Amino acid sequence: ELSIALNGLESLEINGRWRILDDDLIVRTTENILSNFVQNEISFENFSENLILENLLKNNETEPSIVKHCLKCISKNKCETTSSLDLEKIYKF
């Protein structure tokens, strides 16, 4: 029950400790993710999470788990290896 409540608060487990992410950090990270799609001409409909992580971590010092969390918030899984951006979630963002 506690885990479900923490997930509802935009919190994230990092190194075994729960953290509530700052709104500005979420916005900056999500903007970096979306910019990465445009700059590298990555398809919104079919992408690998690992490719996005590699591209962002080259140029950014953001914790990988935060990138994964933000990516999860704006995408939906198509299968185990690929995802697509969820435009409804992006519009709400």
Side-chain angles (χ1 to χ4, degrees):
E1 291 177 15
L2 183 58
S3 178
I4 292 169
L6 288 169
N7 282 325
L9 292 172
E10 294 291 331
S11 61
L12 176 66
E13 187 177 359
I14 300 174
N15 298 327
R17 299 183 75 181
W18 284 95
R19 309 281 186 202
I20 295 177
L21 299 178
D22 181 62
D23 289 339
D24 289 336
L25 176 62
I26 293 172
V27 169
R28 279 193 321 267
T29 304
T30 303
E31 287 174 349
N32 287 339
I33 290 169
L34 295 174
S35 293
N36 186 272
F37 274 91
V38 173
Q39 290 172 355
N40 294 301
E41 299 178 354
I42 299 170
S43 169
F44 294 163
E45 296 296 321
N46 190 23
F47 65 88
S48 164
E49 180 181 282
N50 290 334
L51 175 64
I52 303 301
L53 276 171
E54 286 174 20
N55 289 338
L56 284 176
L57 296 178
K58 282 183 210 172
N59 304 320
N60 198 339
E61 294 183 16
T62 304
E63 174 75 27
S65 57
I66 295 173
V67 173
K68 287 180 185 180
H69 173 78
C70 291
L71 193 55
K72 185 176 79 171
C73 290
I74 60 170
S75 65
K76 54 188 170 187
N77 289 342
K78 293 177 87 171
C79 67
E80 284 186 30
T81 58
T82 60
S83 299
S84 67
L85 291 181
D86 187 334
L87 296 180
E88 282 188 36
K89 291 179 181 178
I90 294 172
Y91 293 147
K92 290 178 185 177
F93 173 74

